[in-house]
Amino acid sequence: MSTIKGLDSWAVDLAEVGAVYPFQGTEVAMVIIGVVLWIGWHIWQIKSENAEIEEDLHMADKRKKAIEEIDRY
Amino acid sequence: MGNNLEALTTIFTEFYYWVTVVMMFLIHVGFCMYEVGASRRRNHMHTLMKNTMLIPLVTITFFFFGWWIYWAFPHGPWIDGGKGLDFAAGAANAPWADTMGTNLGDHITGVFWAAFLLFSWTAASIVSGSVIERIRSGAFWILAVLIGSVAWIIDAAWGWHWDGWMVHILGYHDAYASGVIHAIAGGFALGVLVVLGPRLGKFAADGTPRDIPPHNPWLVTIGLFLIYTGFWGFYAACNVPIISPEVIDGQITGVTWTATNIYLAPTTLSAITFNFLMSLSGGLLMGYMVSKGDSFWTYSGGLAGIITASAGNDLYHPIQAMIIGGVGTFCAYKLHFWVERKFKIDDAVGAVAVHGYAGFIGVCIAGFVLWGVPSSPYEGYAAINPLGQFLGAIIMFGVLGFLPGYVCARILNGVGLLRVPKDIELLGLDIKGDEDYQRAVNDVRDAEKAILNG
């Protein structure tokens, strides 16, 4: 029994073989999982960026730091 | 070459491997750039020379005995059915064989040797980054020969050869070298680091690790980008580009020619292109997330993603490759900092994590995702399975990686050759060169000012 449906040995004629990846038949589920992970990444990233910006905005001596950074170029 | 089709196939194969060698050169350029970027100014030249000089040393030793080991050692010796060294296969690849030179009857040995050699450089170069700023060059170059021309090529004979005993008995599958290059090199680096110890100042008195930031993060990231680029050549070099079922002489029927992995089992360049890019992406996304946008770990995450998925990237679906890349990157990142805190290991560039842990995990994951898939087109080989992959990962990381690295480092340390003296480490390993440089600069300045002043 193999995770690649129908491929228990390479005693095959390659002219008659198509897709050979594991868990064939679950492509739609895999795409859904992939899309959920992608959207989840954006949600996490925006939240994380918001928190970082918020923290930077509350930095002490903001004006002095800005002048230093402008001078640093 | 019997006819024009055969000639065309042979010349295509020769050119294919040659191109992969040129591309893989970029891996070494990348390693040099990121190591120099990660080191501090007083250690630049030493760091660069340490990595550069492994090129000639590993090359000549790989010519003298490394290539012969690959062909003579697939059965152990005496592990697979009591078979000893394969002297017949070894003879055609010994340094005195007439195929190891200009030979109009053999277009392949030279480029195939070179493709393997570039893997050898990579194995040694992975170790190089983790030990920067305190190892003696002489010690490193001995270790580089050991990993580049002995340890990794034994593991290649065992687990990355169509007739290797690990493939035959364990069903070991590691198409793009998660274990046979990355886990072994990471394990070897860890073995050396245990003996070498951390850089001065790396840990506070209470054992808390300090970050030693790279002097030039841009050079580090460009170096890692170049490694990605060279990795394309590495992937292509792991394939046989075109072969007929008659030449494979296994169970495959029909007359359809194919590309294969190193085990002569069919795959396509298209498959590995999908999976390379998707596992890179999974690693980059996870690297960015887990490190909260740290550039070094984001780039390293991309590399860890590819490395984790590499064992099965000839067969995975691209979304599987992406998820596996992300999982491996997460584990490698967390393990790096856990091992650093717990065992006071100073891995300067995270090589043990990115290559060793990600490679180990990738080999194990392939055992589950590809469970039951034939490991070889030949009869009598075990199918891919979780236990075989786990044992394979232990052999790669522990037996052929950690152990030789640790033992050799202990010997070098015992004779006082492993680590530079404390004062030199503080002054910088380039101290003599830097002083000569400054003297030369001052001389020229004085001379030019004298001319200017008449």
Side-chain angles (χ1 to χ4, degrees), chain B residues 133-136 139 195-200 346 412-413 416-422 425:
Chain B
E133 301 194 307
R134 75 278 209 201
I135 199 166
R136 284 182 59 161
V195 184
L196 182 66
R199 287 168 289 179
L200 297 173
D346 176 16
L412 289 164
N413 198 39
L417 284 177
L418 187 65
R419 187 165 179 149
V420 297
K422 189 173 137 189
E425 190 175 333

Side-chain angles (χ1 to χ4, degrees), chain B residues 7-278:
Chain B
L8 201 61
T9 308
T10 303
I11 300 295
F12 169 73
T13 304
E14 182 184 26
F15 187 66
Y16 175 94
Y17 283 119
W18 182 85
V19 170
T20 68
V21 171
V22 177
M23 289 175 74
M24 282 192 282
F25 235 96
L26 288 175
I27 296 178
H28 215 82
V29 177
F31 271 124
C32 283
M33 283 181 76
Y34 103 94
E35 274 185 42
V36 170
S39 67
R40 286 163 286 182
R41 287 187 178 80
R42 61 188 195 267
N43 298 317
H44 282 168
M45 198 54 76
H46 179 272
T47 302
L48 182 62
M49 287 297 106
K50 175 172 63 62
N51 202 337
T52 300
M53 290 310 292
L54 75 81
I55 293 177
L57 289 162
V58 173
T59 300
I60 60 174
T61 50
F62 198 73
F63 187 89
F64 296 149
F65 49 80
W67 189 230
W68 177 83
I69 290 172
Y70 180 69
W71 292 99
F73 277 62
H75 308 126
W78 304 294
I79 298 173
D80 191 358
K83 288 183 265 186
L85 292 174
D86 190 341
F87 286 109
N93 297 283
W96 45 77
D98 67 7
T99 44
M100 293 293 283
T102 309
N103 186 326
L104 298 185
D106 177 5
H107 287 246
I108 303 301
T109 299
V111 288
F112 206 41
W113 169 82
F116 273 70
L117 169 66
L118 270 285
F119 295 1
S120 301
W121 293 3
T122 297
S125 205
I126 290 166
V127 179
S128 175
S130 58
V131 296
I132 55 171
E133 301 194 307
R134 75 278 209 201
I135 199 166
R136 284 182 59 161
S137 296
F140 174 74
W141 291 329
I142 290 169
L143 292 162
V145 169
L146 179 60
I147 176 83
S149 291
V150 182
W152 110 263
I153 200 66
I154 291 175
D155 91 26
W158 289 2
W160 210 59
H161 183 297
W162 69 270
D163 198 21
W165 74 264
M166 287 174 63
V167 188
H168 194 193
I169 296 172
L170 302 178
Y172 184 72
H173 184 83
D174 192 6
Y176 303 97
S178 293
V180 297
I181 283 288
H182 300 287
I184 188 177
F188 192 95
L190 184 61
V192 175
L193 287 170
V194 167
V195 184
L196 182 66
R199 287 168 289 179
L200 297 173
K202 172 66 187 174
F203 293 97
D206 66 355
T208 309
R210 294 190 181 100
D211 186 28
I212 301 181
H215 96 277
N216 187 336
W218 313 118
L219 202 60
V220 170
T221 49
I222 292 168
L224 281 161
F225 242 135
L226 279 173
I227 294 172
Y228 294 172
T229 313
F231 223 140
W232 284 100
F234 185 98
Y235 256 55
C238 292
N239 273 10
V240 175
I242 186 164
I243 192 166
S244 68
E246 307 93 82
V247 174
I248 294 174
D249 195 27
Q251 296 174 287
I252 300 170
T253 61
V255 292
T256 305
W257 292 30
T258 183
T260 73
N261 59 26
I262 196 76
Y263 311 113
L264 301 176
T267 187
T268 67
L269 264 184
S270 214
I272 65 174
T273 304
F274 268 135
N275 291 342
F276 182 99
L277 288 168
M278 290 294 273

